[in-house]
Amino acid sequence: MAKILMKGSEAIGEAAIKAGCLSYFAYPITPQSEIAEYLAKRLPKIGGTFLQAESEIAASQMVFGAAGTGVRVMTTSSSPGISLMSEAMSYIAGAELPAVFVNIVRGGPGLGGILPSQGDYFQATKGAGHGNFRFLVLAPANVQEFVDYMIKAFPLAEKYRNPVMLVGDGLIAQMMEPVDFDNVASTPQGDVESWATTGCKDRETNLINSLFLDPLKLEKFNDKLADKYNRMRDEEVVYEEYAMDDDPDVVMVAYGTTSRVVKTAIDEFRKEDKLKVGLIRPITLFPFPMDVLRNLSAKSHVKAFGVVEMSIGQMLEDVKWATLERKPVEFFSRKGGIVPNPDETKDFIKNIFKKIGA
Amino acid sequence: MQYEITFAGFGGQGIMTAGKFLAQGAMNHGLEVAWVPSYGPEMRGGTAYCTVVISSKPVGSPVVKNPGIAVVMNRPSLDKFASQIKPDGILIINSSLIEATSEREDIFQVQVPCNKMSQEVLGIGRSANIAALGALLGVKEMIPKEEIEKVMETKFGKKPKILEDNLKIFRDAYELGKKQRKNA
């Protein structure tokens, strides 16, 4: 099979199946209901389970239950629905279970709108639910990359026994792009017998639980989780460098849809103004590519950073922290479902160069 | 090389399909593509539009503020999109439903009686979108027209009569567009 032209939502559904995920529980919400629609059609035919729950709360608790039995499971939703799932997310992390969540982010807060946004960065990377836990957060920027990271998400969740979240937006979910499933293969699941509730005949009972009434035990458990997240910081950071070869004066930072707009703006700007600007695109939002940005901030050729987001400034805080604000960190954003266009992004880059006197 | 084409009309005119055929054809031709629909709250009978980006390198911004080409199938679409086309761009107008043209003099405008061309073959205007696509390729052959014909063969292959009719509409419109190209 060669490349096929596929809608983002449908590609996400197909990728989950290719990843070996045959259990999907969800509640529809725009702009990603097509994922549920696709899996409702596909899963029953291949012996999988599709279940439309009565709410996002129920869907996420079903994910909790299924994950406890050691099967690959996922749910998908969009911002308001993800908020409703936050209780289960905390319990799943607390019970150290692997599961995959997809958030096709829409404008917020509250019901917000249905158009693309990156306003859930804080929620995904820092505040998915109560207690001391983190998601491993992946932010693909096109349909093929979404497929590739869907495949990686399940083994990653299993490696850490921790939920993994993929974030996208309505643009990626609704648009069609070429996708190649040829080189897409699922990784076999490792041992689940040691922790999953698969029936305890001839072995010790496995218990799925997140209750630790003994504070010393809970503290120890929290430390264990902290170690896990530190290990992610050491081993899982993924980012892309774009136009970084010639030691650019200005380094842009953007992820997902916004990074594509920034790339176009960079290409046009470099052609027109002959000034050097590059991009660091975080692909993992947590763990954040802290070191690469900190190192760049100490380089003499870097005069300023420019962050572009569809939010009022969320990843911006991580960039400021990563760079220790050794160099100015400028910010440009569109909100409410509006995707920045290349022209205004180019103007933003121009202004940064003006400020640094180039 | 990069082309951005916006197709616009009202729901039911096959706007999304025309864009998909072009994107599919371009992909089969080995190019990078993105097909971006309008989505959001729309009235029934309201405008529907999609943008196709065709490029020789991976598509950066799928958001296009000023497309090089617009194909407008109804009057509201002409009013909305004619002003957005890049200077020296192309505007294909469905003259069966739109009497007017744009006041702009810095774009190349081609009037194509899309509904009429469909009616002449099918008796109804259902394939006006195919006529528009044919005319577009005639005016600007971004990819060989055979690539679109192959896509149609795949889509309509099980219904030979429908395929044959649509191929005729497509080819007639292509010739019409091609003639205009020569005049330009």
Side-chain angles (χ1 to χ4, degrees):
Chain A
M1 216 167 74
K3 278 186 179 177
I4 48 174
L5 194 61
M6 211 169 183
K7 202 171 192 178
S9 288
E10 297 183 344
I12 289 168
E14 186 59 32
I17 292 171
K18 291 275 193 297
C21 170
L22 295 182
S23 303
Y24 175 80
F25 311 100
Y27 187 79
I29 179 170
T30 307
Q32 60 79 57
S33 298
E34 290 91 336
I35 305 175
E37 187 186 0
Y38 184 84
L39 288 171
K41 230 182 316 182
R42 283 277 282 138
L43 280 173
K45 285 184 193 152
I46 52 171
T49 302
F50 167 86
L51 204 148
Q52 180 176 324
E54 67 270 35
S55 69
E56 285 90 346
I57 295 173
S60 56
Q61 297 292 352
M62 290 171 188
V63 170
F64 184 18
T69 69
V71 300
R72 284 189 170 161
V73 58
M74 90 160 172
T75 187
T76 65
S77 190
S78 178
S79 311
I82 293 291
S83 290
L84 286 171
M85 294 180 176
S86 105
E87 181 191 33
M89 289 169 171
S90 176
Y91 278 65
I92 292 169
E96 294 198 274
L97 296 175
V100 173
F101 292 82
V102 177
N103 183 5
I104 301 299
V105 182
R106 52 187 253 182
L111 273 179
I114 58 173
L115 297 171
S117 166
Q118 296 178 323
D120 297 359
Y121 179 92
F122 282 154
Q123 185 192 43
T125 61
K126 301 173 202 301
H130 63 278
N132 281 314
F133 82 97
R134 297 272 201 168
F135 270 12
L136 198 157
V137 185
L138 303 163
N142 60 47
V143 177
Q144 179 70 56
E145 213 175 62
F146 233 107
V147 167
D148 297 341
Y149 280 99
M150 281 300 298
I151 304 291
K152 288 178 184 157
F154 290 92
L156 273 174
E158 286 151 14
K159 176 178 173 185
Y160 292 99
R161 279 176 56 197
N162 194 77
V164 171
M165 178 179 275
L166 290 97
V167 294
D169 59 46
L171 196 67
I172 292 177
Q174 297 290 328
M175 75 194 290
M176 290 175 96
E177 284 189 314
V179 193
D180 194 341
F181 282 101
D182 277 357
N183 302 317
V184 162
S186 76
T187 318
Q189 224 172 340
D191 158 61
V192 299
E193 291 296 316
S194 62
W195 55 267
T197 51
T198 54
C200 59
K201 191 165 178 285
D202 302 328
R203 65 158 167 79
E204 293 277 297
T205 306
N206 288 335
L207 186 63
I208 304 292
N209 181 35
S210 64
L211 181 67
F212 298 81
L213 287 175
D214 179 344
L216 286 173
K217 279 189 182 157
L218 183 54
E219 184 178 53
K220 212 173 147 204
F221 177 64
N222 273 215
D223 283 338
K224 183 187 172 195
L225 290 181
D227 287 346
K228 183 146 89 173
Y229 305 130
N230 282 332
R231 206 177 132 211
M232 287 182 191
R233 289 184 176 102
D234 288 341
E235 296 178 20
E236 308 303 342
V237 173
V238 188
Y239 62 92
E240 183 199 7
E241 292 187 357
Y242 186 81
M244 291 295 293
D245 294 339
D246 56 358
D247 293 347
D249 304 285
V250 172
V251 176
M252 306 294 290
V253 189
Y255 69 95
T257 291
T258 322
S259 71
R260 299 177 61 152
V261 179
V262 171
K263 280 182 182 178
T264 299
I266 286 176
D267 288 349
E268 290 178 8
F269 180 81
R270 273 181 171 261
K271 222 189 302 173
E272 292 162 15
D273 291 71
K274 314 284 179 218
L275 291 169
K276 294 188 288 184
V277 52
L279 166 73
I280 298 293
R281 170 171 75 98
I283 297 175
T284 49
L285 301 185
F286 181 83
F288 191 70
M290 198 67 78
D291 293 346
V292 62
L293 288 171
R294 191 154 294 175
N295 291 339
L296 279 167
S297 70
K299 292 263 161 67
S300 59
H301 69 80
V302 177
K303 309 289 189 308
F305 291 88
V307 178
V308 183
E309 277 184 88
M310 293 187 283
S311 84
I312 57 173
Q314 299 195 12
M315 182 180 69
L316 174 66
E317 293 190 4
D318 280 345
V319 176
K320 284 185 173 176
W321 166 234
T323 59
L324 303 171
E325 296 191 73
R326 283 171 176 148
K327 307 286 164 63
V329 180
E330 306 292 341
F331 181 60
F332 172 62
S333 76
R334 296 302 306 259
K335 281 95 24 187
I338 299 166
V339 180
N341 68 50
D343 284 351
E344 57 193 8
T345 308
K346 212 163 52 186
D347 288 342
F348 170 58
I349 298 174
K350 254 179 213 165
N351 280 331
I352 298 177
F353 274 95
K354 241 181 242 166
K355 278 188 187 168
I356 60 170
Chain B
M1 174 277 282
Q2 178 159 313
Y3 300 105
E4 302 107 16
I5 310 98
T6 296
F7 293 87
F10 55 75
Q13 275 188 309
I15 299 302
M16 301 296 171
T17 305
K20 278 181 199 173
F21 280 15
L22 179 61
Q24 181 79 51
M27 186 189 83
N28 294 349
H29 196 58
L31 294 166
E32 299 287 344
V33 298
W35 172 90
V36 186
S38 60
Y39 78 95
E42 276 289 359
M43 289 184 300
R44 185 170 167 182
T47 45
Y49 65 94
C50 67
T51 300
V52 177
V53 183
I54 301 174
S55 183
S56 50
K57 56 176 199 156
V59 177
S61 172
V63 178
V64 177
K65 193 177 150 208
N66 303 109
I69 301 172
V71 179
V72 295
M73 298 298 283
N74 66 352
R75 182 61 203 252
S77 301
L78 174 75
D79 296 340
K80 185 171 178 183
F81 290 101
S83 60
Q84 296 181 12
I85 301 169
K86 275 187 194 135
D88 301 320
I90 297 168
L91 175 63
I92 309 275
I93 301 168
N94 176 13
S95 59
S96 298
L97 300 186
I98 312 168
E99 284 177 15
T101 56
S102 167
E103 286 169 2
R104 287 183 62 177
E105 288 175 359
D106 60 341
I107 54 173
F108 180 45
Q109 305 192 34
V110 181
Q111 291 179 288
V112 184
C114 299
N115 289 61
K116 186 166 158 261
M117 294 186 84
S118 169
Q119 268 158 6
E120 279 167 5
V121 177
L122 293 177
I124 51 171
R126 185 187 288 160
S127 291
N129 60 338
I130 300 296
L133 191 54
L136 169 63
L137 266 284
V139 174
K140 185 87 190 171
E141 199 151 3
M142 296 167 279
I143 55 169
K145 79 172 201 317
E146 288 73 23
E147 290 287 9
I148 304 289
E149 295 179 359
K150 272 187 242 166
V151 174
M152 286 162 65
E153 278 158 23
T154 312
K155 301 280 176 190
F156 302 133
K158 285 179 186 155
K159 297 164 182 166
K161 176 75 175 116
I162 290 178
L163 174 62
E164 189 191 320
D165 288 347
N166 277 284
L167 281 175
K168 179 167 169 37
I169 294 166
F170 178 77
R171 285 170 185 156
D172 288 351
Y174 172 84
E175 292 304 327
L176 186 147
K178 201 172 168 186
K179 266 180 216 154
Q180 299 264 5
R181 171 170 58 177
K182 277 176 190 158
N183 293 340

